[in-house]
């Protein structure tokens, strides 16, 4: 009888090493995907002047509520000169 280790039925996130089920689609856990998306959003905002939360949501094909949530959390913020523009 072959003994199997506790984590033999898992694969691991390529960024953080968190165990993922073998049937998990992809190689990155949801937490790392969220962090990467946020980094990409911040980079997009930095590289584009006068971008709005609607522009961000459309560009990344994410719900506007997700962008507004990041604004409410203070992770991204409105520019003073243009109330519709956001910055990081």
């Amino acid at each position: 009888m072959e003994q199997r280790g506790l984590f033999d039925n898992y694969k691991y996130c390529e960024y953080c090493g968190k165990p993922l089920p073998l049937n998990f689609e992809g190689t990155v856990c949801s937490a790392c995907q969220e962090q990467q998306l946020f980094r990409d959003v911040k980079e997009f905002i930095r590289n584009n002047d006068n971008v709005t939360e609607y522009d961000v949501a459309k560009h990344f094909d994410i719900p506007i509520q997700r962008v507004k949530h990041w604004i409410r959390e203070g992770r991204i913020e409105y520019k003073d000169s243009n109330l519709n523009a956001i910055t990081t």
Side-chain angles (χ1 to χ4, degrees):
M1 183 167 155
E2 180 181 329
Q3 279 193 318
R4 302 183 85 186
L6 179 61
F7 293 106
D8 285 347
N9 291 328
Y10 294 91
K11 58 184 179 179
Y12 298 91
C13 174
E14 64 185 42
Y15 291 113
C16 70
K18 177 181 176 180
L20 305 168
L22 287 176
N23 63 353
F24 184 83
E25 292 185 21
T27 59
V28 180
C29 72
S30 59
C32 289
Q33 288 174 353
E34 179 74 11
Q35 289 174 352
Q36 183 60 52
L37 173 63
F38 185 73
R39 284 191 296 267
D40 292 345
V41 165
K42 285 180 73 168
E43 187 67 26
F44 177 77
I45 293 168
R46 283 187 191 122
N47 293 332
N48 295 282
D49 291 333
N50 297 321
V51 67
T52 67
E53 64 256 24
Y54 300 103
D55 299 328
V56 172
K58 185 176 180 179
H59 180 80
F60 289 96
D61 194 28
I62 57 175
I64 187 73
Q65 295 305 92
R66 183 182 242 172
V67 180
K68 289 182 177 189
H69 179 75
W70 288 333
I71 293 169
R72 281 192 305 274
E73 286 180 329
R75 295 177 73 188
I76 53 179
E77 60 189 28
Y78 285 100
K79 289 183 180 178
D80 291 334
S81 62
N82 182 351
L83 291 179
N84 291 326
I86 52 180
T87 185
T88 56

